[in-house]
Amino acid sequence: MNIVVDGMTSLLNILYSFSASVGFPNYGVAIILLTMLIKTLIYPLTYKQMASMRKTIELQPKIKAIQEKHKGDKEKANAGVMELYKEHKVNPMGGCLPIVVQLPIFWALYSTLRNFSYEGSATAAHWFLGFDLTKIYGFTSPYHLLLPIFAALTTYLQSKITNPNTSDPTQKTMLYVMPVFFAYISATVPAGLALYWVTMNVVSIFQQLYINRRLASQSMKAI
């Protein structure tokens, strides 16, 4: 996997050079640009994910009816639900694909920040808004808890926008558990990775608002 890490390092340096060319020579800016680039590239997957999730939510009454009809036979209930998904062209695993795609990126950026060699004499370029992007701050400084707090808030907001009217107890629990989990993760990884996650969430929120509006418009046209 060294080739992935080397590729990530090269990409960060390219984006850093770009940020320097426009007057903001900083690796924090490079990480933000990297995040926006990744989210742009995987937008088609994100759109498919959101469309699939929306259809799944719309099918919930029919899914519950199938489960109630075959409540004594779990195998028939699952087969009925899968048939319903097939009929409406819903991929129940479609929501996992954007996450799976991002995992290697997350790991590569983590490895890169842990062993980063800065270009030229950019001795302060790895500092961003008071954060050393290569440092793991943990829970020692109130100021440096800002990134974990923003990670939690943006994770919650993104989940809420993705599925605003969930009645599933498991999903309701995850709505509150996941922000806490990612706040903890953000405090125990290099600050640059926490910055990446917060930026990823912010861009995702805007993308989801746009996709929600687009899907709602398509639904209105279909009626």
Side-chain angles (χ1 to χ4, degrees), residues 3 6 14 19 21 29 36 50 64 69 85 91 93 109 116 142 145-147 149 155 186 188 199 207-208 223:
I3 188 171
D6 290 344
I14 290 170
S19 73
S21 71
V29 176
M36 295 175 68
M50 292 296 295
K64 287 182 179 180
K69 181 180 178 181
Y85 283 152
N91 180 5
M93 298 302 293
L109 184 57
F116 202 72
L145 288 176
L146 283 176
L147 274 178
I149 290 170
T155 298
S186 296
T188 55
T199 308
Q207 279 192 348
Q208 287 171 358
I223 295 175

Side-chain angles (χ1 to χ4, degrees), residues 196-213:
Y196 167 82
W197 185 257
V198 171
T199 308
M200 182 70 71
N201 284 344
V202 171
V203 176
S204 295
I205 287 167
F206 282 105
Q207 279 192 348
Q208 287 171 358
L209 288 172
Y210 169 75
I211 292 171
N212 284 348
R213 183 176 297 179

Side-chain angles (χ1 to χ4, degrees), residues 133-184:
L133 298 173
T134 63
K135 186 174 180 179
I136 299 173
Y137 286 99
F139 302 94
T140 57
S141 166
Y143 177 75
H144 294 118
L145 288 176
L146 283 176
L147 274 178
I149 290 170
F150 277 117
L153 290 174
T154 54
T155 298
Y156 172 82
L157 187 56
Q158 182 192 359
S159 300
K160 194 69 176 174
I161 292 172
T162 302
N163 194 357
N165 299 314
T166 181
S167 57
D168 184 352
T170 301
Q171 291 189 27
K172 279 188 173 181
T173 301
M174 294 303 290
L175 179 65
Y176 299 103
V177 171
M178 292 306 291
V180 175
F181 172 75
F182 281 110
Y184 174 79

Side-chain angles (χ1 to χ4, degrees), residues 14-31:
I14 290 170
L15 292 172
Y16 167 75
S17 297
F18 175 78
S19 73
S21 71
V22 295
F24 298 97
N26 191 276
Y27 279 97
V29 176
I31 289 172

Side-chain angles (χ1 to χ4, degrees), residues 1-10 107:
M1 295 293 287
N2 284 341
I3 188 171
V4 177
V5 177
D6 290 344
M8 179 63 72
T9 302
S10 298
W107 179 86

